[in-house]
Amino acid sequence: MKYAVLCSDLDGTLLTTKNDVSEFTISQISRIKDRMQIILVSARMPKSMTYLQKRLHIEHEPIICYNGALIMKGTAEIASTFIALEQIAEIHRLANVFAVKLGLYYKDEWYVEESSERVEKEIRYTKATPVFRDTTLTLNHWDQKSVGAHKIMLMGKKDTTDALLHILQDRFREELHLYRSNDTLIEVAPKSVSKLSAIKSLRPNDHSLEKVIAFGDNYNDMEMLQYVACGVAVGNARPEVKSIADHITLKNTEDGVAHYIKAHL
């Protein structure tokens, strides 16, 4: 099968370490990038993806950010979908009950109220720096600009995020995607978009996905892997992701995506 597009998640998938791709991965992408489109697909903000594009020499390609809520090509915005301010305010109120903190993202802006171990990890892993500001001030600022959040990151402890997730699912099931990144993190995205919907929007003249191969590891990759022509899970993927994948490759720390490319593309 000849594929026209390769889409890959970053964290836990294409990245061999927490914030970089290996030389082997670069060599394998370089081997195929002139014959197929290479699109990075992530929950990250643009600036946390573009340095990886440069490492892979694919800066001319679009990137799918925030699980599909923002699509960029260079400095041009192709598509943008916000979480409404009223929804953010309600999530903020509910999170306060459980002492769960919010990270708010809009384009390349990232706002948190205070530093924490999780925030420091995010700074190291994504090469981005937040603005420390009260959430209410951020919402007032966004109200004046008539924008919202491309992504909300909810950061707490396992028991508090467990409890909050159930409440948010009951309240926002029809309006928002709620992804469990790990035991202490919940990522919130607009319901109308996903990694898959973003991939489809970049192929307006070919609504079938028969020429797309995709790689992933987590819950927010499942729809993408299920509906493209070939969905490949890395060896460290969650069991639910492996169960719906067409193929399973090595772990991300073992260059699983690059090894699959070398063997099959």
Side-chain angles (χ1 to χ4, degrees), residues 31-228:
R31 189 173 60 78
I32 63 169
K33 68 183 178 67
D34 293 332
R35 297 196 301 279
M36 68 175 71
Q37 196 173 19
I38 311 293
I39 301 176
L40 304 182
V41 186
S42 176
R44 291 183 173 211
M45 66 172 70
K47 72 169 77 168
S48 298
M49 300 176 68
T50 50
Y51 78 91
L52 294 162
Q53 271 196 310
K54 288 175 184 171
R55 290 271 290 142
L56 294 163
H57 308 293
I58 53 169
E59 301 100 309
H60 59 289
E61 300 289 9
I63 50 174
I64 295 171
C65 319
Y66 297 127
N67 291 317
L70 179 65
I71 306 174
M72 301 288 295
K73 187 169 184 179
T75 57
E77 181 185 294
I78 296 175
S80 174
T81 307
F82 305 137
I83 301 169
L85 290 175
E86 303 78 38
Q87 293 172 325
I88 305 170
E90 187 169 354
I91 290 169
H92 183 218
R93 181 180 62 79
L94 293 169
N96 275 342
V97 174
F98 297 95
V100 171
K101 298 298 181 182
L102 272 68
L104 296 175
Y105 298 82
Y106 165 72
K107 289 192 176 178
D108 269 330
E109 300 172 17
W110 171 28
Y111 300 97
V112 293
E113 291 194 325
E114 61 190 39
S115 191
S116 66
E117 184 182 354
R118 179 65 236 175
V119 170
E120 292 302 317
K121 279 184 181 177
E122 192 85 351
I123 292 170
R124 285 198 305 275
Y125 297 162
T126 67
K127 299 184 185 291
T129 306
V131 173
F132 295 99
R133 184 166 73 178
D134 184 85
T135 295
T136 304
L137 291 177
T138 298
L139 295 183
N140 289 339
H141 176 59
W142 283 355
D143 189 28
Q144 293 168 10
K145 290 169 57 175
S146 298
V147 301
H150 284 121
K151 183 179 82 169
I152 303 172
M153 178 85 83
L154 296 166
M155 302 167 284
K157 299 176 182 175
K158 184 183 185 306
D159 58 336
T160 56
T161 49
D162 280 346
L164 179 60
L165 181 61
H166 288 303
I167 293 170
L168 294 178
Q169 284 174 330
D170 286 342
R171 169 63 186 85
F172 293 109
R173 192 181 306 275
E174 302 303 318
E175 303 165 57
L176 298 171
H177 282 302
L178 299 158
Y179 300 109
R180 196 60 182 268
S181 307
N182 62 34
D183 284 344
T184 62
L185 297 177
I186 304 168
E187 291 183 24
V188 187
K191 188 81 170 186
S192 60
V193 296
S194 66
K195 291 184 175 184
L196 182 69
S197 72
I199 294 167
K200 285 181 176 179
S201 75
L202 289 172
R203 295 183 61 73
N205 299 320
D206 180 9
H207 294 294
S208 75
L209 297 167
E210 63 187 23
K211 294 197 174 179
V212 181
I213 180 170
F215 297 83
D217 75 306
N218 216 333
Y219 298 127
N220 57 346
D221 298 314
M222 289 180 70
E223 183 190 46
M224 173 177 73
L225 298 191
Q226 271 185 297
Y227 291 102
V228 297

Side-chain angles (χ1 to χ4, degrees), residues 24 27-28 31-32 255-265:
F24 179 49
S27 72
Q28 290 306 307
R31 189 173 60 78
I32 63 169
D255 293 321
V257 175
H259 279 288
Y260 189 93
I261 292 170
K262 183 177 181 180
H264 300 282
L265 302 182

